[in-house]
Amino acid sequence: YPYRFIRVNYVYFATLLITLLVFLIAALSKPCIPWGDICTLPSDGYIQTYPDIQAMIDNLGIRSYIPSTIGYSIYIFSSGANYIANFINTTIQLIYRSFIWTNDGKAYASIIGLIYLLYSGPAMIFYMTHRCTGKAFDKKDARLIVIGLAYSLSAYMIGYYAFNNFKYGLYVPIVLLGLERLVYKKKPLLYILTLSLYMVRNFYEAFIFCEFIALFFLTLDFEGIKDFIKKTVNFAISSKIGRAHV
């Protein structure tokens, strides 16, 4: 059974393995974790992330958990003015404080970053094989591997790997799938939930993404002006619900 499962879903596993291989080769060049002790997520924590995280830690009254050296490569929490996301991420990720005490969280940050990178490609493949427009790929189509790799290893994903931004590549295909289910099947739940999750994770990035969603919505198929108006209203209401908590 496991062999059959892998064979049927080989495009997902091939994309995962190739992405992992690229990551390991890139990490070897520094050397970063797992080959060395450098985190794969170096960034400008002292300029942008650290002050916000420091304020959140202080407000929670757990100042003693802050390591002596901190940056984005050490604390991979959400940054910016999103206090909902900061509170949730700070509280949950302190469970992993053993990583912080042992190696300043570098291993944890590297592992989390790798997980987001690995699953972004399969997320795009899942979207391409479950589209509601009649343009879905067969999941045995080998071209999906190229599509998945082109997405997970795109210039944006690699260029922004040092920042928080690349992680949203995992959410985008699922939100788009939810949008198509809303438009073509009148099932808004997936769109609302994924957009809401995106908003909680980082509302600034989510609002920028909403601009893309609006443009993407205009590319979908409509039967006429009345159908377009009706679906636009449903789209607007669902989007409002998805971001109502922000």
Side-chain angles (χ1 to χ4, degrees):
Y1 179 78
Y3 172 75
R4 182 178 179 275
F5 177 78
I6 295 175
R7 185 181 63 180
V8 172
N9 298 280
Y10 79 97
V11 293
Y12 292 98
F13 289 98
T15 303
L16 282 171
L17 290 176
I18 295 174
T19 304
L20 177 61
L21 179 62
V22 171
F23 172 86
L24 293 176
I25 293 175
L28 183 62
S29 64
K30 281 298 182 182
C32 297
I33 293 173
W35 313 114
D37 60 353
I38 301 176
C39 182
T40 57
L41 293 170
S43 185
D44 57 349
Y46 282 104
I47 299 175
Q48 295 180 356
T49 310
Y50 175 73
D52 189 61
I53 299 304
Q54 181 67 64
M56 176 58 66
I57 294 294
D58 290 344
N59 290 336
L60 291 175
I62 47 179
R63 191 177 311 176
S64 60
Y65 287 162
I66 289 287
S68 58
T69 56
I70 185 169
Y72 199 65
S73 61
I74 298 168
Y75 260 55
I76 188 168
F77 298 152
S78 176
S79 61
N82 189 347
Y83 296 106
I84 296 177
N86 278 345
F87 178 81
I88 293 174
N89 284 289
T90 301
T91 303
I92 292 177
Q93 294 187 47
L94 281 173
I95 295 174
Y96 300 92
R97 59 186 179 273
S98 59
F99 286 99
I100 299 172
W101 289 342
T102 56
N103 62 5
D104 289 335
K106 295 176 183 177
Y108 172 62
S110 298
I111 292 171
I112 292 298
L114 176 60
I115 290 174
Y116 275 96
L117 180 68
L118 287 179
Y119 283 97
S120 60
M124 177 56 70
I125 292 176
F126 184 83
Y127 165 68
M128 297 299 293
T129 55
H130 291 78
R131 296 197 66 183
C132 306
T133 61
K135 302 175 183 178
F137 278 73
D138 185 287
K139 68 177 181 178
K140 294 182 180 180
D141 193 331
R143 293 177 297 175
L144 287 168
I145 299 175
V146 178
I147 295 174
L149 292 175
Y151 182 72
S152 62
L153 301 177
S154 64
Y156 176 87
M157 298 289 281
I158 300 302
Y160 275 93
Y161 195 83
F163 294 88
N164 212 21
N165 308 59
F166 83 97
K167 297 196 299 180
Y168 304 114
L170 176 61
Y171 304 138
V172 170
I174 310 303
V175 177
L176 295 182
L177 178 61
L179 175 60
E180 291 192 2
R181 287 173 59 86
L182 165 66
V183 171
Y184 296 115
K185 295 187 177 182
K186 300 180 181 179
K187 297 180 178 180
L189 185 60
L190 179 62
Y191 175 70
I192 293 174
L193 290 179
T194 51
L195 182 61
S196 180
L197 176 63
Y198 203 155
M199 285 286 179
V200 169
R201 189 63 185 84
N202 191 309
F203 74 88
Y204 173 73
E205 296 291 340
F207 274 118
I208 295 176
F209 178 53
C210 283
E211 297 178 3
F212 170 76
I213 294 178
L215 295 174
F216 185 82
F217 172 79
L218 296 177
T219 68
L220 300 179
D221 297 326
F222 304 98
E223 297 179 357
I225 186 63
K226 291 184 179 180
D227 183 54
F228 173 74
I229 294 175
K230 181 179 179 181
K231 290 178 178 178
T232 299
V233 171
N234 291 336
F235 169 57
I237 294 175
S238 298
S239 298
K240 180 64 176 179
I241 295 174
R243 65 178 183 86
H245 60 283
V246 179

